[in-house]
């Protein structure tokens, strides 16, 4: 289950990760009111469970509350990769001096969580991996001992974090790992984690994916699920505790295991069909 940006950042905040002040709006009038309370420049950000929001015009800077209302009016109702924008997050605009990527995933080959960092923040990590793999630093975390301070120091050094921010970075990295583990996440990332003009670290964007098999342990998180952002067939299948994957072929497959599913699809394709 994927969380929206505003939901992910609220989880992060519970673990001591600094996030901008902001609230969610579903109408331009609400966006205006939020911007008025925040004062100054704000960022109006579409809340859809898909990447590339900025490139699609779903993230806009507003100079005041009137401008925030206009920007929200332009974003709400937009279609971004097949999803309709129904909510926007209105955040205080950050004075960004530098951008960093920081994230956690499960490395199945190593059988442990891996924290990844890159000095190329604000860019999709897949793009960085494809074009500048040397810019990604990885730290494998032993689940028996957890994330250690020396690992945070190694990451900070590799990413070029200023010495005066090393302690703060370590607290953020440790908080991210704790959030990842305690919420049974399969992904937790801050992109970007920014260095502000006044020399502080701030998580201006966030993303979390929660293991569906663990949601019975996290009712509060399960209640955050947004079915309107999911495939309706997958929503219906989940009502009956079925795993459903939508494909674009013409032969339906009903199988009782992942291995059999793959073998069945291979056989169909071998004989010219499309599962």
């Amino acid at each position: 289950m994927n969380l929206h940006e505003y939901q992910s950042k609220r989880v992060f905040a519970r673990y001591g990760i600094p996030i901008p002040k902001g609230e969610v709006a579903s109408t331009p009038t609400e966006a205006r009111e939020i911007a008025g309370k925040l004062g100054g420049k704000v960022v109006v950000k579409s809340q859809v469970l898909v990447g590339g929001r900025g490139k699609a015009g779903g993230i806009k800077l507003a100079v005041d509350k009137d401008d925030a209302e206009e920007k929200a009016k332009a974003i709400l109702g937009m279609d971004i990769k097949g999803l309709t924008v129904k909510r926007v997050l209105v955040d205080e605009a950050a004075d960004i001096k530098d951008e960093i990527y920081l994230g956690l995933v499960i490395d199945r080959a190593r059988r442990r969580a891996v924290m990844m960092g890159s000095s190329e923040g604000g860019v999709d990590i897949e793009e960085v991996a494809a074009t500048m793999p040397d810019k990604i630093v990885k730290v494998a975390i032993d689940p028996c001992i957890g994330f250690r301070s020396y690992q945070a120091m190694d990451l900070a050094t590799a990413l070029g974090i200023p010495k005066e921010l090393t302690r703060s970075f370590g607290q953020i990295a440790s908080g991210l790992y704790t959030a990842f583990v305690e919420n049974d996440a399969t992904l937790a990332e801050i992109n970007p984690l920014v260095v502000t003009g006044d020399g502080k670290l701030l998580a201006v964007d966030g993303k979390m994916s929660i293991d569906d098999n663990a949601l019975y342990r996290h009712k509060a998180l399960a209640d955050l699920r947004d079915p309107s952002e999911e495939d309706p067939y997958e929503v219906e299948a989940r009502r009956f505790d079925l795993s459903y994957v939508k494909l674009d072929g013409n032969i339906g497959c009903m199988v009782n295991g992942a291995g059999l599913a793959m073998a069945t699809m291979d056989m169909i394709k071998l004989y010219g069909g499309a599962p």
Side-chain angles (χ1 to χ4, degrees):
M1 181 187 82
N2 296 320
L3 298 184
H4 282 289
E5 175 195 354
Y6 74 94
Q7 295 169 332
S8 300
K9 290 199 295 192
R10 287 173 181 174
V11 173
F12 292 165
R14 297 206 305 265
Y15 292 87
I17 298 172
I19 64 172
K21 292 179 182 178
E23 295 179 30
V24 179
S26 55
T27 67
T29 302
E30 289 178 359
R32 175 190 173 88
E33 292 172 355
I34 295 167
K37 285 191 292 185
L38 294 174
K41 294 182 180 179
V42 296
V43 182
V44 183
K45 310 175 80 175
S46 57
Q47 296 299 286
V48 286
L49 297 174
V50 68
R53 294 174 299 161
K55 294 177 182 177
I59 299 176
K60 297 180 183 293
L61 180 67
V63 296
D64 56 28
K65 62 183 180 180
D66 295 329
D67 194 22
E69 183 176 16
E70 291 303 312
K71 294 298 195 304
K73 192 179 296 183
I75 294 173
L76 288 166
M78 280 182 63
D79 182 285
I80 300 180
K81 296 184 180 179
L83 296 177
T84 302
V85 180
K86 298 176 182 176
R87 288 180 294 269
V88 292
L89 174 62
V90 182
D91 265 354
E92 280 184 328
D95 177 16
I96 300 175
K97 181 180 177 183
D98 202 3
E99 298 183 335
I100 302 156
Y101 172 90
L102 187 66
L104 276 154
V105 294
I106 295 174
D107 187 322
R108 297 186 182 278
R110 299 187 190 188
R111 300 182 181 182
R112 57 189 60 190
V114 170
M115 185 173 288
M116 299 187 297
S118 175
S119 56
E120 300 296 318
V123 181
D124 289 339
I125 195 64
E126 294 84 1
E127 184 179 331
V128 177
T131 59
M132 298 174 286
D134 57 307
K135 293 286 186 178
I136 298 178
V137 184
K138 298 180 181 180
V139 173
I141 303 168
D142 188 325
C144 296
I145 61 175
F147 185 67
R148 314 308 295 172
S149 58
Y150 74 86
Q151 293 176 311
M153 182 65 72
D154 289 346
L155 263 175
T157 301
L159 296 175
I161 302 292
K163 288 185 178 180
E164 62 273 17
L165 293 178
T166 300
R167 182 182 178 86
S168 178
F169 175 81
Q171 292 171 339
I172 291 171
S174 179
L176 188 65
Y177 175 72
T178 305
F180 180 85
V181 173
E182 291 189 357
N183 293 284
D184 289 300
T186 56
L187 168 72
E189 70 175 20
I190 303 170
N191 188 24
L193 173 65
V194 305
V195 179
T196 63
D198 58 355
K200 295 179 180 178
L201 291 172
L202 190 67
V204 299
D205 202 347
K207 182 178 180 180
M208 284 190 84
S209 297
I210 311 300
D211 187 343
D212 282 342
N213 296 309
L215 283 175
Y216 72 95
R217 290 198 288 256
H218 306 285
K219 186 178 184 306
L221 288 176
D223 290 342
L224 298 178
R225 186 188 286 274
D226 186 354
S228 67
E229 297 274 323
E230 300 178 351
D231 186 289
Y233 291 108
E234 293 184 9
V235 174
E236 180 71 5
R238 192 165 55 248
R239 287 181 55 224
F240 300 95
D241 198 27
L242 297 173
S243 295
Y244 174 81
V245 179
K246 186 177 181 179
L247 301 176
D248 56 3
N250 55 8
I251 299 175
C253 302
M254 185 181 292
V255 292
N256 64 352
L260 179 59
M262 299 303 293
T264 303
M265 290 193 292
D266 285 346
M267 188 179 297
I268 290 171
K269 292 183 75 68
L270 177 66
Y271 284 89

